[in-house]
Amino acid sequence: MFKFLHAADIHLDSPLRGIARYEGMPVDDIRLATRRAFDNLVKLAMDEKVRFVLLAGDLYDGDWKDTSTGMFFVARMARLREAGVPVFLVAGNHDAANRMTRSLRLPENVILFSARQPESRQLPDGEVVIHGQSFSNQAVSDNLAVSYPAKRLGCFNIGLLHTSVSGYEGHEPYAPCTVDDLRLREYDYWALGHVHARQELCVHPRIIFPGNIQGRSIRETGPKGCVLVTVGDGHEILECHHVYLDVIRWERVEIDLGDVPTMNELQLRTANAISTVIGEAEDRPLVLRLEFGGGTPLHDELVAGSTWRDDLRALAADVGSESVWIEKIVVHTCPPARTTPLSGPLDEVHQYMLSIAGCSNEIAALEASVAPLLAKLPEDLKQEVSTWLKPGGERLQRLTVEAESLLMESLRSRGGTQ
């Protein structure tokens, strides 16, 4: 029986985006999160006495700012060398974009697969063969898997590949392949990288994306780690255990405010939801996005006000003993169903907002008024914002509802509802 670790998408020294905006957060410590998570990986390898470690691409995050990133990796590999643990590595798209890695001298226990063609590396005892190929450039469009060599009889065969598998979108389509392409190789295990969420695509054989080892933004939520694989007699895989390595966790917290009548009740529900996530995070610091939904009498106040948002940030710090921070608060609520019709100025506002969404002249005038602001935005953001005013679009409808709530709350606060 033997064990091995499968990890991918380490992205050493990748910045955790947006952290610096939040007052009180330990920015310097959090920016080292990928290193600390990688330290957890190295420690796990030694504690479990694994036979070897597989790294399925994107060890780095593009070009380094300095050589300290490479030196950190070399130092950790030296620890594994002293423990007698070899490391097998393929370069992914981010690694291929890094010019400095080409001059980095790796310890002798680190085997980097060639980018020219697939190759096979057999462990000294002859029991395990690992097949792999690195990326030769940042955007490999060829199907690398179909050129991987046939399995070696009598051995435990592993395919190590950085790839986007068809049907699992969300990442750039580099080295695309299908599950059938992988199964045709008849390997015992496919150690994949590139997709940052853990996914097991097939059980026979095991085809696994372990996900990245440390979430870096709200797009990478939940536990992050690697796969600890246990192989028994007859090369049977006994267990594939996902081990958490992350040192800070990102989470989305959905809170239903249906029929919540007061801000006190909103705070109570929020505190309960945060406490639940804290328990699941096992003492890790948390960065949360709060998403409120449901029909609530508080809707207009939530859209128009801002002090309640500051109150919730303070609440999170209190409930989380200063280890929980709010990344963003998103309001998807709506007004409750009206039991009585609107009248006076409130009804006039409501009727006008109903009419404006379908009035092309009004929308055209609005587009003209915001055109100078759009011109100052970056091109990608400009294109996104310009679609918000598309007639009949979901975003325009949402903006119309929010504008109505702002006007309604302004009228109420100034006593102008009669």
Side-chain angles (χ1 to χ4, degrees):
M1 186 174 73
F2 65 91
K3 298 179 182 180
F4 65 90
L5 285 184
H6 166 206
D9 302 287
I10 311 299
H11 291 280
L12 275 177
D13 289 346
S14 174
L16 297 186
R17 300 175 180 89
I19 288 294
R21 296 200 306 267
Y22 307 119
E23 183 179 353
M25 296 191 73
V27 175
D28 292 337
D29 289 342
I30 293 172
R31 281 177 175 159
L32 294 174
T34 53
R35 290 194 181 199
R36 293 165 57 205
F38 194 70
D39 277 337
N40 288 342
L41 174 69
V42 172
K43 183 177 185 300
L44 178 66
M46 294 190 293
D47 289 347
E48 292 290 338
K49 297 180 173 58
V50 300
R51 181 80 65 85
F52 53 89
V53 173
L54 305 175
L55 299 179
D58 283 358
L59 171 63
Y60 304 115
D61 196 59
D63 269 337
W64 310 328
K65 292 181 179 179
D66 55 56
T67 59
S68 66
T69 303
M71 297 307 297
F72 171 84
F73 175 69
V74 168
R76 292 334 183 249
M77 293 302 95
R79 292 183 185 177
L80 291 180
R81 179 189 61 201
E82 297 304 313
V85 179
V87 178
F88 297 88
L89 168 69
V90 292
N93 52 291
H94 284 275
D95 303 316
N98 189 317
R99 294 184 296 271
M100 299 177 73
T101 57
R102 298 165 193 165
S103 60
L104 180 67
R105 181 178 178 182
L106 297 173
E108 57 271 21
N109 64 315
V110 179
I111 296 91
L112 175 63
F113 283 84
S114 170
R116 292 189 297 273
Q117 62 185 17
E119 56 181 343
S120 303
R121 298 297 184 101
Q122 192 162 3
L123 265 63
D125 60 11
E127 187 177 3
V128 178
V129 178
I130 301 166
H131 314 277
Q133 181 177 1
S134 291
F135 275 32
S136 59
N137 58 70
Q138 189 175 355
V140 172
S141 58
D142 297 333
N143 184 340
L144 302 181
V146 295
S147 299
Y148 271 45
K151 69 174 182 178
R152 292 193 185 176
L153 297 177
C155 297
F156 186 84
N157 287 261
I158 298 174
L160 184 59
L161 178 64
H162 199 77
T163 179
S164 60
V165 178
S166 299
Y168 299 88
E169 285 74 20
H171 292 264
E172 294 293 337
Y174 297 144
C177 68
T178 67
V179 170
D180 284 342
D181 291 334
L182 304 179
R183 294 180 65 183
L184 284 172
R185 298 295 96 191
E186 297 185 324
Y187 295 169
D188 299 286
Y189 185 93
W190 275 98
L192 305 184
H194 187 50
V195 174
H196 288 190
R198 184 184 187 277
Q199 297 181 23
E200 185 166 338
L201 310 188
C202 185
V203 176
H204 301 292
R206 297 278 188 162
I207 303 175
I208 295 179
F209 285 109
N212 54 343
I213 67 170
Q214 173 60 59
R216 300 171 299 152
S217 75
I218 198 62
R219 292 180 296 178
E220 299 176 349
T221 58
K224 298 292 181 178
C226 67
V227 182
L228 175 62
V229 183
T230 304
V231 181
D233 294 338
H235 298 158
E236 177 187 4
I237 294 178
L238 303 179
E239 184 180 25
C240 292
H241 177 52
H242 193 247
V243 182
Y244 302 154
L245 303 173
D246 53 332
V247 297
I248 182 170
R249 190 164 292 174
W250 299 74
E251 293 284 6
R252 294 175 184 267
V253 181
E254 297 181 358
I255 302 171
D256 184 8
L257 297 182
D259 299 323
V260 170
T262 67
M263 282 295 180
N264 285 339
E265 177 66 20
L266 179 149
Q267 291 197 2
L268 179 60
R269 288 201 184 185
T270 302
N272 290 338
I274 292 175
S275 295
T276 298
V277 178
I278 289 173
E280 296 169 349
E282 299 177 337
D283 296 325
R284 290 173 177 82
L286 286 164
V287 183
L288 306 179
R289 176 173 291 187
L290 303 182
E291 299 182 350
F292 293 102
T296 171
L298 296 174
H299 173 74
D300 291 346
E301 186 177 353
L302 295 179
V303 172
S306 60
T307 56
W308 67 273
R309 295 173 182 265
D310 294 332
D311 292 341
L312 289 190
R313 294 185 189 281
L315 173 70
D318 181 28
V319 173
S321 301
E322 298 185 345
S323 63
V324 175
W325 298 271
I326 306 301
E327 177 261 355
K328 191 175 184 180
I329 298 173
V330 180
V331 177
H332 292 310
T333 58
C334 62
R338 293 189 176 97
T339 56
T340 57
L342 294 172
S343 61
L346 293 179
D347 185 53
E348 292 179 22
V349 168
H350 179 61
Q351 295 303 324
Y352 175 72
M353 298 308 294
L354 286 177
S355 67
I356 193 175
C359 183
S360 58
N361 291 337
E362 294 282 3
I363 295 174
L366 182 58
E367 287 180 322
S369 68
V370 300
L373 295 175
L374 287 176
K376 297 179 181 180
L377 295 175
E379 191 60 34
D380 57 341
L381 188 57
K382 185 191 305 181
Q383 293 177 3
E384 177 184 350
V385 174
S386 64
T387 63
W388 295 357
L389 300 179
K390 181 180 179 181
E394 181 180 345
R395 189 58 186 263
L396 179 61
Q397 294 176 15
R398 184 74 189 176
L399 289 172
T400 304
V401 171
E402 291 179 1
E404 180 177 334
S405 295
L406 287 167
L407 292 170
M408 294 284 199
E409 187 62 23
S410 178
L411 284 171
R412 293 190 183 99
S413 63
R414 299 179 185 181
T417 59
Q418 301 300 320

